[in-house]
C-alpha cells in the first residue's frame, strides 16, 4: 500500500464515478471533479480521456478530435492523438520538445471538400493567448496582439479515411484545456548565498499515473527554470531520484535514492534541501511533517523529520506578517501605528526634522538602515539609530534612480550615463559605504527610471526605455564574481502615450505598476509568472507614490494623503503632509 501506484490510484479511481461523453467525433470523455477525501496526497482533478477517430469522420471532425486528444492528459504519450495522423506525420510529430500553445483556436473551413477529394486543408483562426515552454513557464502573449496567421492543417485521405498529414509542432490547447491539464505550482530554490528561498512558479502537467505529489517533487528535482537558474541553485545532489512518497503515521514519507544521503556530511546544504521540500510541498499538505528516507532506510545519522515552520528564515517575502508601513510626513520618515496613535518618527537622521531627502528605502532588520536621494548627488544612507548621520554610499556623475535595498544589506541604484539624447545606464550596488559597478548588458543601452530589487534578493523589476517607450522588465541578479544583472524579460511592453510612474513588489511573484495615459492613472497588479488576473485596485485620487507588502498596498496622493487599500476601497488614515510611502525592501 506504500507505492507510487497506490497514490496515483487514489486520484484515478476516486474520479471515475461520474462520466460524461462529449458528443463529437474523436472528442474526449471527461470525468467530473471528485473530492480527494481525507488523504492529502489524493488531489482531485477533472479527467480527460481521449478517443480514436470515428469511421468516415469529416476533415473538420478529424481536426477537432485531434485537438481534443492533445488535451487528454491521461494519454501522456499522446498515443490516441497520433491515430489522427498519417504514418509519416506520426513519425515526425514530437510535441514534448515544443512549446504548448494556448489559444482560442477555431477550425472553420469556408467550404466542405468534394466527395472525390484526396487532399484538404482546414484553416485555424483565433488568437494565441500564451505559450507554456517545456520547463512549465507560462509566457503570456501581448494583449494587443492581432489574430495569428496560423498555417492550415493539411489532411489526406488514406483507405477512404481522412488523416492529418502535417500536424502543428506544438500542442494546441484551449483555456479550458489548460485549467484541466495543468496545475500552477510554486517551486522553491535557495539563493546562491544559501540564505533564503526564491520562488519559481510553473505550470505542472497532470499525470494521473504518477499523481500530483510525485510529479511535484520530481519537477523540483529537475531544477529551476530559465532564466532564474542563473540566480539560484538546486541543492539536491546530481542524480537524486524520488523512489516513493506516501502518508504514514500522520507524516508524509519521501523516499529518495542514495545520492541524497551524501548530504549527511553537509549540514548547511541539507538544511537548504529540507527547506526546499517543506516550502514546495505546502501546495499538497501544508500542515503535515515530512520524513525523508534513503532507499527505504532511515536517513544516515538518524531520522530526518521536519516541516515548513522549521525554516522561517528562508521565507522569500522576508517581512513579518502584517508589517507596518512607513511614510514621509512633513519631511520626516515615520512609522505607521495602530489604534489611531500618532505616527512615530524613526530613529536617526531620517526621523529628525529639517533633513532634506526623498524617495527613501529601508532595510529594517537586521541591518536597520535607510537610503535616500538628497540635494547633493548620490545615494545617501543613515542608520536607524539615535544620532546617526547621512553618509554617501554611491556617488554617480549622472542622475541616479531611487535606492532599493536587497535582503543582504546592499543598496542598488542605476545611473544615467552619456549625453541626455543617448540611451545608456550603469548599475551600482553599495556595500558598507563602497560603490561597486555591476554588469548589466540588457540595460547598458537603455534609460532606467526605476530599479526595484525583490525581497527574495534575486529578481529585480525595472522601468526602462530601450528606445520604443517605457516598459517593465524583470531581471535576475547573479551573485557570483563581480555580480551581474541578466535574464531580462519584458513583463509590460511599451505602449504609445503611456508613462510608467512607479513600481513596487507586493510579494515574491507580484508587481504593482502605476501608469498614466491621456491624463488617466491606472494601478495594475501583475503576476511575473503570467496567466493570473489578480484583483486590481481602482485609483480614485492621483497617486504620487506606491508601496506594497503581502496583502497590503499603501499610496500617497497628490493632496498629501496617505491612502490604504483594504481590498475593496481606499481609506485615508492621514489627510495631508505625506509625500512618499514605503515598506521595508521591495
Amino acid at each position: 500500500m506504500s507505492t507510487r501506484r497506490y497514490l496515483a490510484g487514489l486520484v484515478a479511481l476516486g474520479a471515475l464515478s461520474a462520466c460524461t461523453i462529449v458528443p463529437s467525433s474523436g472528442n474526449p470523455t471527461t470525468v467530473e471533479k471528485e473530492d480527494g477525501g481525507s488523504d492529502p496526497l489524493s488531489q482531485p482533478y477533472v479527467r480527460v480521456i481521449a478517443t480514436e477517430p470515428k469511421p468516415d469522420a469529416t476533415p473538420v471532425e478529424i481536426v477537432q478530435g485531434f485537438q481534443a486528444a492533445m488535451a487528454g492528459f491521461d494519454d501522456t504519450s499522446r498515443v490516441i492523438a497520433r491515430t489522427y495522423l498519417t504514418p509519416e506525420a506520426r513519425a515526425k510529430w514530437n510535441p514534448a520538445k515544443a512549446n504548448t500553445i494556448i489559444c482560442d483556436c477555431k477550425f472553420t473551413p469556408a467550404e466542405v471538400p468534394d466527395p472525390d477529394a484526396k487532399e484538404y486543408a482546414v484553416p485555424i483562426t483565433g488568437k494565441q493567448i500564451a505559450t507554456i515552454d517545456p520547463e512549465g513557464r507560462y509566457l503570456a502573449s501581448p494583449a494587443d496582439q492581432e489574430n495569428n496567421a496560423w498555417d492550415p492543417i493539411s489532411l489526406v485521405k488514406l483507405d477512404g479515411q481522412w488523416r492529418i498529414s502535417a500536424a502543428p509542432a506544438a500542442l494546441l490547447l484551449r483555456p479550458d484545456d489548460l485549467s484541466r491539464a495543468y496545475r500552477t505550482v510554486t517551486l522553491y530554490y535557495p539563493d546562491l548565498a544559501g540564505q533564503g528561498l526564491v520562488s519559481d512558479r510553473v505550470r505542472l502537467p497532470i499525470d494521473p499515473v504518477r499523481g500530483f505529489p510525485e510529479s511535484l517533487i520530481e519537477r523540483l528535482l529537475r531544477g529551476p527554470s530559465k532564466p532564474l537558474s542563473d540566480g539560484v541553485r538546486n541543492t539536491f545532489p546530481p542524480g537524486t531520484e524520488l523512489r516513493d512518497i506516501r502518508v504514514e503515521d500522520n507524516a508524509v514519507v519521501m523516499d529518495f535514492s542514495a545520492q541524497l544521503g551524501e548530504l549527511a556530511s553537509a549540514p548547511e546544504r541539507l538544511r537548504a534541501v529540507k527547506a526546499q521540500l517543506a516550502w514546495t510541498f505546502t501546495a499538497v499538505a501544508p500542515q503535515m511533517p515530512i520524513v525523508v528516507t534513503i532507499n527505504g532506510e532511515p536517513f544516515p545519522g538518524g531520522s530526518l523529520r521536519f516541516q515548513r515552520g522549521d525554516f522561517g528564515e528562508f521565507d522569500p517575502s522576508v517581512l513579518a506578517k502584517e508589517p507596518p508601513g512607513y511614510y514621509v510626513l512633513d519631511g520626516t520618515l515615520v512609522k505607521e501605528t495602530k489604534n489611531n496613535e500618532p505616527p512615530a518618527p524613526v530613529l536617526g537622521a531620517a526621523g529628525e526634522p529639517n533633513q532634506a531627502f526623498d524617495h527613501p528605502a529601508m532595510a529594517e532588520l537586521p541591518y536597520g538602515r535607510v537610503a535616500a536621494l538628497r540635494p547633493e548627488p548620490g545615494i545617501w544612507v543613515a542608520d536607524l539609530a539615535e544620532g546617526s548621520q547621512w553618509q554617501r554610499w554611491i556617488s554617480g556623475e549622472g542622475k541616479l534612480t531611487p535606492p532599493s535595498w536587497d535582503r543582504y544589506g546592499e543598496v542598488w541604484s542605476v545611473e544615467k550615463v552619456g549625453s541626455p539624447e543617448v540611451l545608456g545606464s550603469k548599475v551600482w550596488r553599495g556595500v558598507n559605504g563602497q560603490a561597486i559597478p555591476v554588469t548589466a548588458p540588457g540595460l547598458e543601452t537603455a534609460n532606467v527610471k526605476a530599479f526595484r530589487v525583490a525581497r527574495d534578493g534575486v529578481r529585480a523589476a525595472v522601468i526602462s526605455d530601450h528606445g520604443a517607450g517605457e516598459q517593465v522588465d524583470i531581471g535576475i541578479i547573479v551573485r557570483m564574481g563581480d555580480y551581474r544583472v541578466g535574464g531580462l524579460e519584458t513583463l509590460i511592453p511599451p505602449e504609445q502615450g503611456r508613462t510608467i510612474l512607479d513600481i513596487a513588489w507586493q510579494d515574491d511573484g507580484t508587481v504593482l505598476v502605476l501608469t498614466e495615459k491621456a491624463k488617466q492613472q491606472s494601478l495594475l497588479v501583475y503576476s511575473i509568472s503570467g496567466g493570473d488576473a489578480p484583483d486590481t485596485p481602482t485609483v480614485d485620487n492621483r497617486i504620487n507614490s506606491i508601496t506594497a507588502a503581502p496583502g497590503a498596498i499603501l499610496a500617497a496622493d497628490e493632496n498629501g494623503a496617505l491612502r490604504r487599500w483594504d481590498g475593496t476601497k481606499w481609506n485615508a488614515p492621514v489627510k495631508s503632509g505625506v509625500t512618499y510611502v514605503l515598506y521595508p525592501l521591495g
Side-chain angles (χ1 to χ4, degrees):
M1 296 294 287
S2 60
T3 64
R4 297 180 181 184
R5 182 175 299 175
Y6 165 72
L7 294 173
L10 287 176
V11 181
L13 293 177
L16 286 175
S17 61
C19 298
T20 303
I21 304 298
V22 179
S24 177
S25 170
N27 276 354
T29 300
T30 62
V31 181
E32 296 177 3
K33 186 189 298 184
E34 287 291 316
D35 185 353
S38 59
D39 188 340
L41 302 194
S42 178
Q43 297 288 318
Y45 61 88
V46 178
R47 193 173 187 184
V48 180
I49 303 174
T51 58
E52 295 184 0
K54 283 196 324 185
D56 301 320
T58 68
V60 171
E61 290 174 329
I62 290 294
V63 172
Q64 290 174 337
F66 176 63
Q67 189 281 321
M70 285 193 279
F73 57 80
D74 278 72
D75 182 16
T76 56
S77 298
R78 302 302 190 275
V79 173
I80 300 301
R82 295 174 192 279
T83 63
Y84 289 82
L85 307 178
T86 65
E88 293 80 6
R90 197 178 307 155
K92 296 178 181 178
W93 192 55
N94 188 8
K97 292 187 177 181
N99 289 348
T100 294
I101 295 175
I102 314 302
C103 66
D104 59 357
C105 301
K106 300 177 181 63
F107 311 107
T108 53
E111 55 187 24
V112 298
D114 293 332
D116 298 331
K118 301 298 182 183
E119 297 180 353
Y120 191 68
V122 174
I124 306 175
T125 60
K127 184 176 180 180
Q128 180 172 307
I129 298 169
T131 61
I132 300 177
D133 69 16
E135 293 183 318
R137 292 199 309 152
Y138 183 101
L139 306 171
S141 301
D144 58 354
Q145 178 176 288
E146 298 180 357
N147 284 358
N148 292 75
W150 305 92
D151 291 333
I153 297 180
S154 299
L155 298 93
V156 297
K157 190 172 281 188
L158 294 179
D159 299 325
Q161 303 297 319
W162 287 106
R163 292 295 180 264
I164 296 169
S165 58
L171 296 179
L172 297 180
L173 302 184
R174 294 189 173 98
D176 287 346
D177 299 327
L178 174 66
S179 63
R180 286 191 296 263
Y182 286 84
R183 281 209 174 116
T184 301
V185 300
T186 304
L187 313 172
Y188 290 92
Y189 296 94
D191 57 25
L192 296 178
Q195 296 184 25
L197 293 175
V198 181
S199 65
D200 188 11
R201 201 172 189 199
V202 300
R203 298 312 196 270
L204 184 67
I206 297 230
D207 185 345
V209 175
R210 291 204 308 250
F212 173 66
E214 183 177 357
S215 296
L216 177 66
I217 299 303
E218 288 183 348
R219 176 61 187 85
L220 179 69
L221 293 174
R222 282 169 49 194
S225 59
K226 291 285 187 182
L228 181 62
S229 58
D230 290 335
V232 299
R233 57 191 175 125
N234 190 7
T235 46
F236 288 91
T240 300
E241 295 181 355
L242 178 68
R243 299 180 66 251
D244 183 29
I245 181 170
R246 65 188 184 276
V247 173
E248 188 175 282
D249 297 330
N250 294 317
V252 177
V253 179
M254 299 183 187
D255 187 45
F256 291 93
S257 59
Q259 289 87 342
L260 188 60
E262 300 169 5
L263 298 188
S265 58
E268 291 187 6
R269 190 174 168 192
L270 178 60
R271 182 165 178 79
V273 163
K274 292 192 293 183
Q276 280 187 263
L277 288 170
W279 276 79
T280 298
F281 210 68
T282 296
V284 180
Q287 304 300 325
M288 294 189 72
I290 294 172
V291 174
V292 170
T293 59
I294 304 296
N295 289 332
E297 301 294 331
F299 194 84
S303 174
L304 202 62
R305 184 185 179 99
F306 53 91
Q307 56 193 83
R308 174 170 160 167
D310 300 334
F311 307 99
E313 75 273 21
F314 284 88
D315 190 342
S317 69
V318 180
L319 301 180
K321 187 177 181 181
E322 298 182 356
Y326 294 80
Y327 53 97
V328 178
L329 178 64
D330 297 326
T332 300
L333 184 59
V334 301
K335 183 178 183 177
E336 271 193 311
T337 56
K338 297 181 179 180
N339 303 321
N340 297 319
E341 298 175 359
V346 300
L347 295 177
E352 297 174 358
N354 304 316
Q355 298 285 321
F357 66 91
D358 60 38
H359 290 81
M362 179 178 291
E364 188 179 37
L365 295 174
Y367 303 101
R369 286 170 172 162
V370 175
L373 299 172
R374 303 199 71 210
E376 302 87 348
I379 300 297
W380 296 76
V381 175
D383 291 338
L384 293 170
E386 197 71 42
S388 69
Q389 301 295 317
W390 292 105
Q391 297 180 348
R392 183 157 46 191
W393 278 29
I394 300 174
S395 296
E397 298 179 2
K399 184 179 180 181
L400 290 160
T401 62
S404 178
W405 290 99
D406 63 26
R407 69 186 300 173
Y408 314 103
E410 300 177 351
V411 65
W412 294 72
S413 181
V414 181
E415 177 188 7
K416 172 69 179 80
V417 297
S419 59
E421 63 275 7
V422 176
L423 300 174
S425 297
K426 178 184 287 188
V427 178
W428 293 93
R429 64 185 178 102
V431 185
N432 294 324
Q434 180 183 5
I436 304 171
V438 177
T439 301
L443 299 177
E444 291 170 356
T445 56
N447 284 344
V448 175
K449 185 175 184 177
F451 186 95
R452 302 286 190 192
V453 182
R455 295 186 177 95
D456 59 28
V458 172
R459 293 185 175 95
V462 187
I463 301 177
S464 62
D465 184 346
H466 297 257
E470 292 181 345
Q471 63 186 55
V472 176
D473 300 319
I474 302 296
I476 302 297
I477 298 175
V478 183
R479 298 175 182 272
M480 297 179 65
D482 294 332
Y483 286 29
R484 64 181 170 87
V485 178
L488 281 175
E489 294 187 327
T490 300
L491 179 68
I492 305 174
E495 183 178 317
Q496 187 174 5
R498 182 188 63 193
T499 301
I500 300 176
L501 301 175
D502 204 359
I503 52 175
W505 288 94
Q506 184 165 37
D507 56 34
D508 53 332
T510 308
V511 176
L512 268 64
V513 182
L514 179 64
T515 68
E516 182 177 79
K517 186 175 182 180
K519 298 183 179 181
Q520 295 293 319
Q521 285 191 349
S522 299
L523 183 56
L524 307 174
V525 182
Y526 282 87
S527 167
I528 63 171
S529 64
D532 299 320
D535 292 335
T536 297
T538 58
V539 180
D540 57 359
N541 279 46
R542 293 184 63 80
I543 291 174
N544 299 325
S545 169
I546 59 170
T547 188
I553 301 174
L554 290 179
D557 71 21
E558 63 180 353
N559 298 318
L562 175 69
R563 314 285 292 178
R564 173 180 285 280
W565 179 254
D566 68 3
T568 58
K569 65 182 182 301
W570 290 101
N571 298 315
V574 179
K575 305 300 182 183
S576 64
V578 177
T579 55
Y580 198 80
V581 292
L582 63 148
Y583 280 104
L585 309 179

